[in-house]
Amino acid sequence: MDGRMKEALRYLGYGRHAVDERTMGLIEDSFAELEEVADRKFVYRIFELIRDGEADIRIGRMQIHSASLGRNMKGCTHAALIGATLGIGVDMRMKRHSLNDMARVVVLQACASVMLEEYLDECQAGLEKELEAQGRFLRPRFSPGYGDFLICHQSEILRMLDAPKKIGLTMTDGYMLTPVKSVTAAAGISTTKEPCHIRGCESCGKRDCSYRRN
Amino acid sequence: MLLDRLGKELLFLDGGMGTLLQEKGLQPGELPEIWNLEHADEITDIHRRYVEAGSDMVLTNTFGANALKFHSGKYRLEDIVKAGVACARKGAELAADGREVYVGLDIGPTGKLLKPMGDLAFEEAYLAFRETVRYGVQAGVDFIHIETMSDTYEVKAAVLAAKENSDLPVCVTMIFDERGKLLTGGDVPSAVALLEGLRADALGVNCGLGPRQIFPVVEEIRRYASIPLIVKPNAGLPKQKDGAVFYDIDPEQFAGDMRRIVEMGACVVGGCCGTTPEHIRKMAESCACLPVLCAEAKEDTIVSSYGKAVTLGDCPIIIGERINPTGKKKFRQALKDHDIDYILKEAVAQQDSGAHILDVNVGLPDIDEKKMMCEAVEQLQSVTSLPLQIDTSDPETMEAAMRIYNGKPMVNSVNGKQESMDQVFPLVQKYGGVVVGLTIDEDGIPPTAEGRARIAQKIIREAAKYGIARKDIVIDVLAMTVSSEPEGAKTTLEALRLVRRRYGVRTVLGVSNISFGLPGRPLINSNFYTMAMLNGLSAGIINPLSADMMGSYHAYRALMNYDENCREYISRYGKEQQKDQGAVTAAPAQITLKTAIEKGLKEEAALAAKALLAAEEPLDIINSQMIPALDEVGKGFEKGSIFLPQLLMSADAARSGFGVLNEAMAAVGGSDEKKDKIILATVRGDIHDIGKNIVKVLLENYGFDVIDLGKDVAPDVIVRETLKRNVRLVGLSALMTTTVASMEQTIRLLRQRAPQCRVMVGGAVLNREYADMIGADFYGKDAMQSVYYAKELFGRGIDKQ
Ligand code: SF4
């Protein structure tokens, strides 16, 4: 079983349970379908980071009050804002299958999440490489709407990234990203290298890290 | 006058605005349009520099100035737009030096995604653009320039706003990627078809790419467009250094590349991101003496959706006829019940069977046709990318549907009666479309081919008065029932040949009428279909789910060499042969209905249900096999031995079993038992509906009549439907904290106006306490919980352990 499949099963809640063949088949089909309809796009931009207090930072002209972000970005001089999407085709496919195949929708949705994470990791790795050449290092990425990093920053992030125009990433009045399978995030940049886990502090083994966000 | 010069001489636009503003201190994320008021001199100066550099057309600094972005802030939209126009006008006057310089009102996208995939309604987008247009017109701009659009739907709202609220020339450019695709998936021919249909005065491409990457896109637009071509690339692809974005094509190189672009046929050229007055100066110098290539008129008959264009050419195409209530009891019921999913399923089934265009007819005496048509058209566009044929005899419905359709529709129909032409042609003129012309007029249907051809000619001539080209008319010479009209088929075939040959127009025909009243209708239909294609039929309106018709179609294409190496034919019919042979050797293993459901096997469940019907009553089968199987699976899900995908596969299998049983019951007229009704909706502001759809499937399997109001549903709509349909249970879903507020609001309103109704809620951010807090009666932590609650509420007992 490959990593993707395992991840998809995790999203579907299988945990360690044995999985039936039909679900496995559905997962394989779904990944294949996504390869066909997903139109992956990524945009990032680096901004200066200014610290106004323990829990108050400014990324470019965006003011954020967040204790966990404040801690996580301690010692950072800059921050990268990131936006990524699998495109509107995925949303449409899900809508279409929801007419007569909800099992497929549920699996497709899990697979799309896996694909989006994978894609973000890939993009982030590229960015990391670029930064490392300049002696700078990336902390884990952080999405608005998680912890005390408020979702209301969504609109500003999209604007600072010019995301609607660059990658077709927009949001609803209720701060939901459209296309649905999309992510925005912020990640600190510092001149010291931490042993960061690509999936963030939650997955990271360094329990005593002073930048830990959770 | 700009219009007199567009397309006849080379005109230079200006270059980037944002880049220059950033040099002057504009921060990323700051709204540049505010500078029109706060730093008017800087803005004026930028315009002045462009005009000095040679721009004949300058665009106001109003790219993001629309009602959606500027209604709550410190500044009024009106002031921003008018100040923007004043800056541009002043900059132009300072530097024009006797030249004529045109000021264009610049309009960019709203930054929001339109419904049904996003939450901005088409009319809201229209109103937002309209406001900007009106201020621009009041301030005296010379033309309207809509640019950087990546969504055909949004661009349609903008063009309509410009056209309906001004008499000015409208230029439109969209943003394509290297593959010639829009971010929303559309391609060049579909965008061109849409914009030409809407009567843009010039169209083209801007932003996104540098001049070199844009070459192929320019070439492709040239291939399809009949109107002047605008090209406005970036100064290369964006790069980042130290947090700043920059573009690295210098003015020299830019000028050289733009020369190529003019030689390729562009007649309005300028620059976008990263270009400066220097880029424009060099470009103007290097291109000044180039001749302008006029765009020649293209003759292809093209209809489009948001995602693709379909050409009616020599190789026939298929228009799916099934979205039409005529003679279909189930369909009529679905319309009465407002069952949009029924229509969507018909669409998907036809697309999967090979239809190229879908006819949409929802006319029924006792429903609001206009409302239903608009809803169907909007929703269809979220599940299929096939172009639609709007089929109605009501002009109001036709206009409303053409307006909200995302593309250049096919329109069914106009006929030779003056009244009909007076009603339909203005709509086609305004919204664009390929219109079906029926060869019938005040005197009825002529009995001869010659007579029908004459009506075709009348239609073509009348259309020309509206500027509707021949390519945008397809003629339907009408097929008469051969059992009552012995010469009918022959006349039709002759008429097909005649209009094709004499007027060069494409043709369309509803094929199945021919066999009315005869036995073995498929036999007649499919043979007549072949004959019609051979005589010049461009698009048959047929049932793509009919194996006979599709057989004729694919055979025809193979025989006439439209199917290269018979590839399509072989891929379709090669498999069937194998299947036939396979069936002889391996008999399908028998499994029970219960097992089929538990294992989630759709086809097997249907087969098993059919087999059981030989000996048992449908209701007995449901009670002895289906319900126990569903309960079994439900329990497994509760215990954690079965997971969501399996639960849903079982639900689907059960549904196909129910399908068979319901049909059997309907056949003896006994399926009309009153079902308990439940409303489901995702609350206002929430566009995630997977959770709601899961609950729906399960509830339906347990025999509930689920009224699905969809996603992003306003509280008052939910209340209204609850009262109207006398519903006792409403299920609400919300996925994000931001939308729980509207869930609470909905519950409050329900309590006031429909106190007898219970409310169950679910969704990722909810829990028991939260649900109590907002006043719900029940919180369903998973889909099965909602089923149990509904069963309990409706007194069906709970057979859960
Ligand atoms: S806990 Fe791990 S991932 Fe988080 S900041 Fe520290 S090193 Fe990086």
Side-chain angles (χ1 to χ4, degrees):
Chain A
M1 204 185 287
D2 62 0
R4 273 182 145 189
M5 174 74 78
K6 269 197 203 130
E7 276 293 290
L9 286 170
R10 195 174 62 80
Y11 274 99
L12 288 166
Y14 277 79
R16 298 191 161 277
H17 284 84
V19 54
D20 61 308
E21 242 168 68
R22 304 207 44 228
T23 305
M24 294 248 280
L26 208 48
I27 293 175
E28 272 163 16
D29 286 358
S30 295
F31 276 123
E33 189 169 2
L34 284 171
E35 288 300 340
E36 182 194 314
V37 297
D39 186 12
R40 281 162 275 205
K41 292 223 152 76
F42 173 71
V43 61
Y44 77 92
R45 196 157 174 192
I46 294 167
F47 295 91
E48 216 179 328
L49 187 138
I50 294 168
R51 179 169 288 280
D52 297 321
E54 275 298 293
D56 287 285
I57 55 170
R58 259 181 291 156
I59 298 176
R61 56 197 292 279
M62 173 168 59
Q63 299 187 355
I64 304 167
H65 177 80
S66 156
S68 44
L69 212 58
R71 189 164 57 246
N72 190 245
M73 293 192 176
K74 209 176 278 169
C76 292
T77 56
H78 290 79
L81 294 184
I82 296 168
T85 179
L86 298 187
I88 195 69
V90 175
D91 291 16
M92 291 191 166
R93 212 38 97 88
M94 289 210 260
K95 162 104 191 179
R96 188 171 157 183
H97 287 312
S98 70
L99 289 173
N100 45 27
D101 198 347
M102 276 312 290
R104 188 173 289 271
V105 175
V106 165
V107 171
L108 204 59
Q109 129 117 338
C111 293
S113 299
V114 174
M115 183 183 249
L116 182 59
E117 286 295 312
E118 255 176 25
Y119 179 56
L120 269 166
D121 290 350
E122 222 176 274
C123 296
Q124 191 175 318
L127 179 57
E128 255 162 9
K129 218 165 124 201
E130 225 170 274
L131 288 170
E132 280 191 35
Q134 311 159 15
R136 301 199 288 173
F137 305 92
L138 212 54
R139 298 264 168 91
R141 60 177 183 258
F142 223 113
S143 290
Y146 289 91
D148 59 358
F149 183 14
L150 295 181
I151 187 95
C152 63
H153 292 295
Q154 198 79 279
S155 55
E156 213 163 353
I157 295 178
L158 292 176
R159 209 157 59 220
M160 288 166 78
L161 286 170
D162 209 357
K165 185 168 117 186
K166 293 260 160 62
I167 60 172
L169 178 53
T170 60
M171 62 166 225
T172 67
D173 292 342
Y175 302 97
M176 292 178 184
L177 292 175
T178 41
V180 171
K181 283 295 160 206
S182 306
V183 166
T184 61
I189 298 172
S190 78
T191 48
T192 56
K193 189 174 168 77
E194 305 299 328
C196 288
H197 193 283
I198 187 120
R199 288 286 156 90
C201 303
E202 293 74 12
S203 319
C204 179
K206 193 162 184 266
R207 303 287 345 164
D208 59 348
C209 176
S210 57
Y211 307 128
R212 194 166 195 97
R213 67 189 179 197
N214 61 329
Chain B
M1 283 281 280
L2 176 60
L3 218 42
D4 299 331
R5 298 174 67 190
L6 258 183
K8 299 192 187 73
E9 52 186 292
L10 190 59
L11 293 169
F12 298 113
L13 269 162
D14 56 10
M17 173 66 79
T19 332
L20 300 185
L21 290 181
Q22 267 161 35
E23 274 168 22
K24 292 180 189 274
L26 178 85
Q27 293 296 309
E30 197 185 336
L31 297 167
E33 295 78 16
I34 289 174
W35 281 46
N36 294 343
L37 294 165
E38 289 185 348
H39 308 280
D41 289 347
E42 304 273 18
I43 302 291
T44 304
D45 195 53
I46 290 175
H47 291 306
R48 180 192 60 77
R49 285 165 62 198
Y50 276 121
V51 175
E52 235 168 44
S55 297
D56 304 298
M57 302 160 78
V58 291
L59 302 177
T60 57
N61 178 37
T62 51
F63 181 81
N66 62 65
L68 297 172
K69 284 187 192 156
F70 280 96
H71 255 185
S72 43
K74 178 159 129 210
Y75 296 108
R76 294 191 327 145
L77 180 65
E78 176 170 2
D79 297 336
I80 286 179
V81 174
K82 291 188 172 169
V85 177
C87 291
R89 187 66 74 196
K90 192 161 163 210
E93 276 163 10
L94 285 173
D97 202 16
R99 261 188 318 139
E100 205 168 349
V101 174
Y102 306 99
V103 170
L105 177 70
D106 193 39
I107 294 182
T110 59
K112 298 210 35 137
L113 188 63
L114 270 69
K115 284 181 176 183
M117 304 320 283
D119 69 337
L120 180 64
F122 179 80
E123 270 317 299
E124 272 179 82
Y126 167 83
L127 291 175
F129 289 125
R130 183 178 79 175
E131 204 175 330
T132 306
V133 168
R134 286 186 172 166
Y135 297 142
V137 171
Q138 285 165 16
V141 292
D142 303 309
F143 68 103
I144 293 168
H145 190 89
I146 298 162
E147 66 173 347
T148 325
M149 288 286 177
S150 56
D151 179 353
T152 49
Y153 211 16
E154 187 171 13
V155 87
K156 178 165 180 176
V159 175
L160 281 176
K163 286 272 168 190
E164 289 182 351
N165 297 284
S166 81
D167 303 318
L168 300 172
V170 177
C171 300
V172 188
T173 57
M174 299 191 76
I175 177 168
F176 291 93
D177 66 14
E178 272 150 286
R179 301 164 303 155
K181 290 267 190 185
L182 300 169
L183 278 170
T184 43
D187 55 12
V188 167
S190 63
V192 170
L194 174 83
L195 292 172
E196 291 192 341
L198 290 168
R199 313 237 162 190
D201 295 287
L203 64 79
V205 52
N206 78 300
C207 206
L209 303 169
R212 298 240 166 124
Q213 296 87 31
I214 231 168
F215 287 166
V217 180
V218 173
E219 252 164 24
E220 203 183 356
I221 298 179
R222 265 293 281 189
R223 196 150 61 236
Y224 290 98
S226 311
I227 62 176
L229 172 55
I230 312 166
V231 183
K232 210 172 159 267
N234 292 342
L237 294 171
K239 307 213 164 53
Q240 275 191 53
K241 197 167 180 223
D242 298 328
V245 178
F246 69 98
Y247 297 84
D248 62 358
I249 291 194
D250 63 26
E252 264 335 308
Q253 194 190 335
F254 185 78
D257 290 343
M258 290 312 287
R259 205 182 148 89
R260 271 290 309 280
I261 284 175
V262 172
E263 284 163 358
M264 285 161 77
C267 58
V268 180
V269 286
C272 204
C273 305
T275 58
T276 63
E278 208 35 42
H279 286 84
I280 299 301
R281 182 186 318 280
K282 289 273 188 245
M283 173 186 79
E285 280 167 13
S286 125
C287 300
C289 304
L290 291 178
V292 167
L293 293 181
C294 276
E296 66 268 13
K298 309 296 185 299
E299 297 301 337
D300 287 333
T301 299
I302 296 180
V303 289
S304 73
S305 67
Y306 68 89
K308 67 163 126 198
V310 171
T311 305
L312 281 79
D314 289 338
C315 172
I317 58 158
I318 293 167
I319 301 176
E321 67 175 12
R322 291 182 58 88
I323 303 178
N324 189 326
T326 312
K328 297 191 194 102
K329 195 172 153 222
K330 262 198 196 162
F331 200 126
R332 287 214 292 273
Q333 193 55 45
L335 285 178
K336 281 184 196 143
D337 295 344
H338 194 259
D339 184 357
I340 296 280
D341 278 2
Y342 187 96
I343 298 176
L344 303 188
K345 283 179 198 169
E346 284 288 5
V348 170
Q350 292 183 91
Q351 172 166 11
D352 290 346
S353 302
H356 303 102
I357 295 173
L358 300 177
D359 185 82
V360 184
N361 182 323
V362 293
L364 210 58
D366 36 1
I367 67 157
D368 182 344
E369 186 188 355
K370 183 166 132 190
K371 205 163 144 244
M372 184 52 119
M373 176 66 100
C374 289
E375 207 171 328
V377 166
E378 185 188 281
Q379 291 296 323
L380 279 166
Q381 299 180 89
S382 64
V383 298
T384 174
S385 61
L386 297 185
L388 303 180
Q389 168 164 288
I390 294 161
D391 181 359
T392 174
S393 52
D394 173 38
E396 248 184 64
T397 299
M398 189 180 278
E399 165 150 29
M402 288 174 79
R403 188 177 181 87
I404 62 137
Y405 178 67
N406 185 357
K408 179 185 179 191
M410 190 121 169
V411 181
N412 194 3
S413 56
V414 71
N415 60 49
K417 292 179 193 155
Q418 196 58 44
E419 190 196 357
S420 165
M421 295 190 287
D422 290 348
Q423 277 170 345
V424 174
F425 285 146
L427 301 181
V428 178
Q429 178 185 37
K430 177 172 176 187
Y431 297 104
V434 168
V435 63
V436 175
L438 306 183
T439 50
I440 176 172
D441 64 7
E442 287 83 356
D443 303 321
I445 303 172
T448 63
E450 187 58 44
R452 291 184 205 175
R454 263 202 301 274
I455 296 181
Q457 185 187 36
K458 178 160 79 172
I459 292 171
I460 294 165
R461 278 196 185 146
E462 183 74 13
K465 293 184 195 161
Y466 294 84
I468 299 168
R470 191 173 291 221
K471 67 173 176 182
D472 286 333
I473 295 170
V474 291
I475 294 295
D476 184 342
V477 293
L478 302 166
M480 312 296 280
T481 305
V482 74
S483 57
S484 61
E485 196 84 37
E487 287 289 309
K490 282 162 67 186
T491 309
T492 301
L493 295 173
E494 193 189 334
L496 271 175
R497 282 197 303 274
L498 207 55
V499 297
R500 212 34 226 114
R501 204 182 50 227
R502 198 179 285 169
Y503 309 116
V505 285
R506 297 293 167 188
T507 57
V508 54
L509 195 64
V511 176
S512 20
N513 206 20
I514 197 84
S515 62
F516 198 76
L518 286 177
R521 290 188 65 182
L523 198 56
I524 298 277
N525 287 347
S526 56
N527 279 293
F528 180 62
Y529 183 32
T530 305
M531 295 159 88
M533 287 189 280
L534 195 58
N535 283 280
L537 177 60
S538 319
I541 305 178
I542 66 162
N543 176 7
L545 269 55
S546 151
D548 299 289
M549 296 304 265
M550 294 310 281
S552 292
Y553 179 72
H554 290 293
Y556 179 81
R557 288 187 66 227
L559 290 166
M560 299 301 285
N561 194 21
Y562 289 124
D563 181 4
E564 206 184 319
N565 298 324
C566 304
R567 200 172 294 140
E568 171 91 25
Y569 185 86
I570 292 168
S571 88
R572 276 184 177 255
Y573 298 99
K575 268 190 234 117
E576 215 156 82
Q577 203 177 7
Q578 282 167 11
K579 223 194 291 167
D580 288 349
Q581 287 164 354
V584 188
T585 48
Q590 284 291 329
I591 60 171
T592 66
L593 179 54
K594 189 156 176 283
T595 316
I597 292 174
E598 283 170 7
K599 291 221 148 71
L601 304 168
K602 250 192 230 185
E603 272 127 54
E604 286 80 350
L607 286 176
K610 219 171 266 165
L612 285 174
L613 273 174
E616 288 178 59
E617 289 298 313
L619 269 179
D620 293 337
I621 301 174
I622 291 176
N623 289 326
S624 69
Q625 297 240 10
M626 304 207 47
I627 298 291
L630 284 170
D631 285 344
E632 189 69 33
V633 176
K635 272 180 223 152
F637 179 69
E638 294 290 289
K639 279 196 308 225
S641 59
I642 280 178
F643 295 86
L644 193 53
Q646 293 158 290
L647 178 73
L648 292 167
M649 282 189 252
S650 291
D652 267 343
R655 187 150 64 166
S656 79
F658 278 124
V660 172
L661 300 179
N662 284 340
E663 242 164 61
M665 286 192 276
V668 295
S671 75
D672 285 344
E673 59 158 324
K674 278 268 169 286
K675 287 184 178 175
D676 296 315
K677 284 180 282 197
I678 301 176
I679 281 184
L680 291 185
T682 301
V683 298
R684 153 101 109 226
D686 206 312
I687 55 159
H688 297 98
D689 56 1
I690 295 182
K692 180 212 70 191
N693 291 338
I694 292 171
V695 174
K696 175 182 172 185
V697 169
L698 297 176
L699 285 172
E700 280 176 346
N701 267 344
Y702 277 89
F704 293 102
D705 178 8
V706 176
I707 301 162
D708 181 1
L709 299 183
K711 60 186 182 185
D712 193 7
V713 190
D716 54 315
V717 173
I718 297 173
V719 171
R720 194 184 64 215
E721 291 299 315
T722 305
L723 292 171
K724 190 172 109 194
R725 309 205 196 196
N726 195 18
V727 171
R728 275 176 57 205
L729 176 59
V730 172
L732 301 175
S733 124
L735 200 89
M736 310 237 312
T737 30
T738 45
T739 51
V740 175
S742 69
M743 181 179 263
E744 189 176 4
Q745 196 192 347
T746 309
I747 296 176
R748 219 179 308 127
L749 204 62
L750 276 169
R751 293 289 180 241
Q752 278 169 21
R753 310 246 303 270
Q756 82 293 350
C757 174
R758 297 294 183 84
V759 184
M760 59 179 181
V761 298
V765 291
L766 291 172
N767 55 35
R768 186 62 273 164
E769 293 76 50
Y770 209 176
D772 287 343
M773 216 168 76
I774 59 172
D777 295 301
F778 179 76
Y779 160 69
K781 93 172 179 346
D782 61 49
M784 281 312 292
Q785 299 299 327
S786 317
V787 172
Y788 295 138
Y789 177 68
K791 283 174 73 173
E792 186 182 53
L793 186 71
F794 288 99
R796 300 227 202 135
I798 303 183
D799 29 27
K800 182 185 155 202
Q801 303 300 302

